[in-house]
């Protein structure tokens, strides 16, 4: 279920992934994770920043660029422990 409220049965999604994989669209099918398991955390800070930026732009399309960048800088920094 996404923000818009659409819901697709698992069998439909699996069939679509199979068709995409057969047609050579490996990168699209690779981003779908197993049901019930968490999505993997990106390995680089750049990937994290890009994903956070895309989500913030989607959820808050009118947010000023400086505010969005401050949120990313403050809340999405990868810390190595």
């Amino acid at each position: 279920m996404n923000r818009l409220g659409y819901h697709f049965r698992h069998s439909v999604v699996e069939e679509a992934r199979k068709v995409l994989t057969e047609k050579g669209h490996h990168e699209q099918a690779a981003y779908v994770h197993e049901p019930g398991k968490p999505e993997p955390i990106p390995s680089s800070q750049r990937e994290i920043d890009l994903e956070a930026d895309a989500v913030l732009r989607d959820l808050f399309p009118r947010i000023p660029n400086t505010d969005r960048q401050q949120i990313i800088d403050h809340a999405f920094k990868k810390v190595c422990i």
Side-chain angles (χ1 to χ4, degrees), residues 16-36:
R17 286 180 64 197
K18 181 179 174 186
V19 170
L20 285 173
T21 303
E22 289 171 356
K23 292 186 177 187
H25 296 283
H26 300 289
E27 62 276 357
Q28 286 92 343
Y31 288 112
V32 179
H33 61 280
E34 274 188 58

Side-chain angles (χ1 to χ4, degrees), residues 20-60:
L20 285 173
T21 303
E22 289 171 356
K23 292 186 177 187
H25 296 283
H26 300 289
E27 62 276 357
Q28 286 92 343
Y31 288 112
V32 179
H33 61 280
E34 274 188 58
K37 292 192 175 182
E39 196 172 317
I41 296 173
S43 57
S44 74
Q45 184 62 53
R46 177 156 170 74
E47 291 176 39
I48 293 170
D49 291 349
L50 290 173
E51 284 187 20
D53 184 62
V55 169
L56 288 170
R57 285 177 185 262
D58 184 41
L59 293 174
F60 309 104

Side-chain angles (χ1 to χ4, degrees), residues 53 56-57 60-76:
D53 184 62
L56 288 170
R57 285 177 185 262
F60 309 104
R62 298 184 68 185
I63 190 171
N65 290 337
T66 54
D67 293 347
R68 191 180 66 250
Q69 191 59 47
Q70 285 182 347
I71 292 170
I72 292 169
D73 291 343
H74 181 74
F76 294 97

